[in-house]
Amino acid sequence: MTGTAREVRQVVALIPAHNEAENITDAIQGLRVQDLAPHRIVVVADNCTDDTVRVATEAGAEVLETVGNTDKKAGALNQALAALLPELDDDVAVLVQDADSALDQGFVSAAVRYLSRDPRLGAVGGTFRGRDDRTFVGHLQRNEYARYARDVRRLKGRCLVVTGTAAVLRVPTLREVAEARLDGRIPAGDGRGGIYDTTVLTEDNELTFALKHLGYTVLSPRECTLTTEVMPTWRALWKQRLRWKRGALENCVQYGVTRVTWRYWGRQLFTALGIIVTAAYLASIVWSLAVYGSLHVRPFWLAITGIFVVERVVTVKDRGPARMLLAATMYELGYDIFLQTVHAKAYADAVLHRERRW
């Protein structure tokens, strides 16, 4: 780690966007109304076939169009950062934000404050709420995101991953990541010193690993919040979560077992055990119905059910009393089984080396 404690004086925002004409204005507006507005807002238009470029330009943003990019978001950001970093001073921070997200007031100023006072802090991210889309699958994701935000707050901002929804990093930190990819301290990525690894499914998770292996910490403070898009269909959610889970697993394999990754390996093991417990739980219900013709209550599984109900109720507190009461009915059990199935599929695909598509 070579970063030094210096005040961040300016922020440059990068918004990677592929066919985001419907969302890009909200993303730009969310930056303009910040109490510490970015000095520059650059929309990285990646292979867009809609009106993203026109809409972003009319909203007052700079637009950088990618050339020949085949590496999706990671490749688009690498092109933009390769063009911008040489002209940025060391007292500048870069905000990378998804085009389908909008920052809450105070996000940027809080991120800058944390970065300016801690030279070990490599990146500041945010916790997010799901945008209201009036679908049941969206409602379930909003509950899930509320639980995630609660967990991060309880840990005083310590997070496993600086998510791609929004993250702020110092320019010197980005330069060190590029150098480390070239000198072998972290995986090479595109082999040209690109900040983001274009060979992985989850480039944000990998960048978090890279920062931590270079001696940095990451943080998602309670002041840094935003809204983001939820997947509108079960098919889209399946595709998203399969990529997330398999990508996280493959990032662990990529780095091996280290002082950083052992906790992530532990979470993978915990997830695998959860799949086994869920399968046993469902099997006990099927067995009871098949043998006894009705549910035969066993004390062990009754206790597990009680713990599950209490956890569901308490952890959705941010969504209000009505949602807490509804959670007690265990109506989210199907969603949990859905996610467990996705996890099992991701493990199987990784072990069998099935082709990765997204």
Side-chain angles (χ1 to χ4, degrees):
M1 184 184 69
T2 61
T4 58
R6 68 169 68 220
E7 183 181 358
V8 175
R9 298 186 181 278
Q10 290 184 342
V11 176
V12 173
L14 295 183
I15 308 176
H18 172 69
N19 291 344
E20 293 285 357
E22 292 185 3
N23 297 314
I24 197 66
T25 299
D26 288 342
I28 294 169
Q29 183 62 20
L31 292 171
R32 292 203 177 282
V33 300
Q34 292 291 308
D35 49 3
L36 178 60
H39 177 65
R40 297 170 63 184
I41 300 174
V42 182
V43 172
V44 186
D46 181 38
N47 299 316
C48 293
T49 57
D50 67 354
D51 288 333
T52 297
V53 172
R54 178 185 61 79
V55 174
T57 301
E58 291 177 354
E62 301 176 45
V63 175
L64 188 157
E65 296 188 63
T66 60
V67 178
N69 178 45
T70 59
D71 293 317
K72 301 194 175 183
K73 176 183 174 182
L77 286 171
N78 281 348
Q79 284 195 18
L81 289 166
L84 292 173
L85 281 181
E87 64 186 56
L88 298 180
D89 295 330
D90 285 352
D91 60 1
V92 175
V94 175
L95 163 65
V96 179
Q97 178 195 324
D98 281 349
D100 59 9
S101 300
L103 304 186
D104 291 337
Q105 179 62 260
F107 187 111
V108 177
S109 60
V112 165
R113 184 169 65 253
Y114 281 98
L115 285 172
S116 295
R117 70 190 187 195
D118 185 357
R120 298 184 308 110
L121 184 55
V124 174
T127 54
F128 41 87
R129 303 178 306 280
R131 188 172 297 154
D132 189 4
D133 67 345
R134 301 185 183 279
T135 67
F136 182 62
V137 66
H139 161 78
L140 294 170
Q141 291 168 78
R142 286 186 286 277
N143 281 357
E144 180 186 11
Y145 292 166
R147 292 186 172 101
Y148 169 75
R150 176 182 181 273
D151 287 343
V152 173
R153 286 199 308 273
R154 291 176 65 239
L155 293 171
K156 301 186 184 302
R158 295 190 299 274
C159 57
L160 287 170
V161 178
V162 175
T163 68
T165 52
V168 186
L169 304 92
R170 298 185 194 89
V171 163
T173 304
L174 293 170
R175 290 187 178 128
E176 184 176 0
V177 170
E179 293 169 1
R181 293 209 188 278
L182 293 174
D183 65 26
R185 282 178 287 163
I186 57 176
D190 62 10
R192 300 186 297 274
I195 306 301
Y196 289 89
D197 189 339
T198 58
T199 69
V200 300
L201 288 172
T202 45
E203 67 281 341
D204 305 310
N205 189 71
E206 192 280 334
L207 182 60
T208 302
F209 278 21
L211 291 169
K212 289 189 172 184
H213 280 87
L214 293 175
Y216 291 101
T217 61
V218 296
L219 192 70
S220 291
R222 65 167 50 244
E223 302 98 320
C224 294
T225 57
L226 65 148
T227 57
T228 193
E229 184 182 45
V230 295
M231 294 298 100
T233 66
W234 290 101
R235 180 184 295 275
L237 182 62
W238 173 275
K239 184 177 179 180
Q240 179 199 60
R241 298 310 173 86
L242 187 61
R243 178 173 67 86
W244 285 3
K245 190 62 184 181
R246 183 170 177 180
L249 177 61
E250 291 182 352
N251 290 152
C252 286
V253 173
Q254 178 186 27
Y255 277 80
V257 180
T258 69
R259 59 178 176 78
V260 170
T261 62
W262 70 268
R263 291 182 177 85
Y264 295 83
W265 279 109
R267 290 183 67 86
Q268 295 294 341
L269 177 60
F270 185 78
T271 298
L273 290 174
I275 294 171
I276 294 171
V277 170
T278 299
Y281 181 76
L282 295 176
S284 72
I285 294 176
V286 173
W287 171 264
S288 181
L289 291 173
V291 173
Y292 301 104
S294 62
L295 289 178
H296 183 69
V297 178
R298 297 178 182 275
F300 174 78
W301 290 117
L302 184 61
I304 293 295
T305 301
I307 293 171
F308 178 81
V309 170
V310 171
E311 187 273 339
R312 294 287 89 180
V313 171
V314 172
T315 56
V316 81
K317 182 179 179 180
D318 286 356
R319 299 270 284 151
R323 299 302 199 302
M324 293 176 69
L325 183 62
L326 187 60
T329 67
M330 291 182 61
Y331 78 100
E332 295 172 288
L333 181 60
Y335 185 62
D336 292 316
I337 294 172
F338 172 86
L339 294 179
Q340 295 279 22
T341 304
V342 172
H343 295 165
K345 176 71 163 54
Y347 287 140
D349 287 349
V351 169
L352 298 174
H353 302 289
R354 290 173 179 154
E355 183 181 359
R356 302 183 301 175
R357 296 179 180 177
W358 67 284

